[in-house]
Amino acid sequence: MLCTGRAGMGQVARERIERTIAALTMSPRHSATEAAAHAGAGQFIAAELAAAGCAVSRQAFEMPDHPGRVGVNVIGALACEQADLSAVVVGAHYDTRPASPGADDNASGVAAMIECARALSARRLQRPVVFVAFDAEERQDPGPGLRGSSAFVAAAGGSGVPRLGPAFILEMVGFSAGRGAQKV
């Protein structure tokens, strides 16, 4: 399969990035405290990746120290000429800290990731490129974060997750402030 692109794709647009950030920051989206907004963010990201030309799937994973909670990574893949090669991963997390709309951390990274998908969908790709919106990357009190990326890497090469190559993880894209501006 070839990635042949789509009309109007391939150009990065500031307006689309701003619209994506605005859509994701309408309300806080922590999976435990704002579950509906969090689920809506995952649906929005899936729709945007599909509109960018990606085949979209979801990877659910359990959080053993949070009985009943399931995280969901949203995965978009572009077709390529040599699907047997390891995939380039472009990722960003879409969860936030409780009560935070997460514009910097990390709607900015998600918006940049989606825009990368749009730009690359217009190209003929030699190897797989996978876009992953990771869930449960922020600290999940009382336990650690990095749940979605850990689940994704653990599944690599198996069902629904390709062998992994280089990864570009987008976090707080464009953030600039004085030293110590964001303390937990």
Side-chain angles (χ1 to χ4, degrees):
M1 290 177 79
L2 300 177
C3 182
T4 57
R6 305 176 61 176
M9 298 305 226
Q11 300 292 321
V12 172
R14 176 183 176 166
E15 297 78 21
R16 281 194 306 250
I17 292 171
E18 289 173 348
R19 278 195 306 268
T20 298
I21 292 171
L24 288 172
T25 58
M26 292 175 73
S27 66
R29 57 188 188 285
H30 186 269
S31 62
T33 58
E34 297 95 15
H38 178 74
Q43 292 170 347
F44 173 83
I45 294 164
E48 291 295 304
L49 287 172
C54 294
V56 176
S57 62
R58 290 173 175 78
Q59 177 195 23
F61 57 91
E62 294 184 18
M63 293 189 270
D65 54 347
H66 293 276
R69 274 187 62 203
V70 174
V72 180
N73 291 332
V74 180
I75 303 167
L78 291 174
C80 65
E81 292 183 352
Q82 297 181 40
D84 58 327
L85 295 176
S86 59
V88 174
V89 177
V90 180
H93 73 89
Y94 71 100
D95 62 312
T96 67
R97 295 291 296 157
S100 172
D104 291 323
D105 188 9
N106 191 32
S108 63
V110 172
M113 179 192 72
I114 292 169
E115 204 61 18
C116 285
R118 285 188 180 107
L120 288 176
S121 73
R123 306 248 190 272
R124 188 178 201 134
L125 301 176
Q126 295 297 308
R127 67 181 323 123
V129 179
V130 178
F131 302 90
V132 186
F134 295 110
D135 192 5
E137 292 296 281
E138 295 288 359
R139 182 170 174 78
Q140 303 294 311
D141 292 330
L146 305 178
R147 303 296 178 85
S149 57
S150 296
F152 183 76
V153 169
S159 177
V161 179
R163 284 185 312 117
L164 305 180
F168 300 90
I169 307 303
L170 307 171
E171 176 79 14
M172 297 175 64
V173 175
F175 179 79
S176 64
R179 187 177 187 157
Q182 289 197 340
K183 293 183 180 180
V184 175

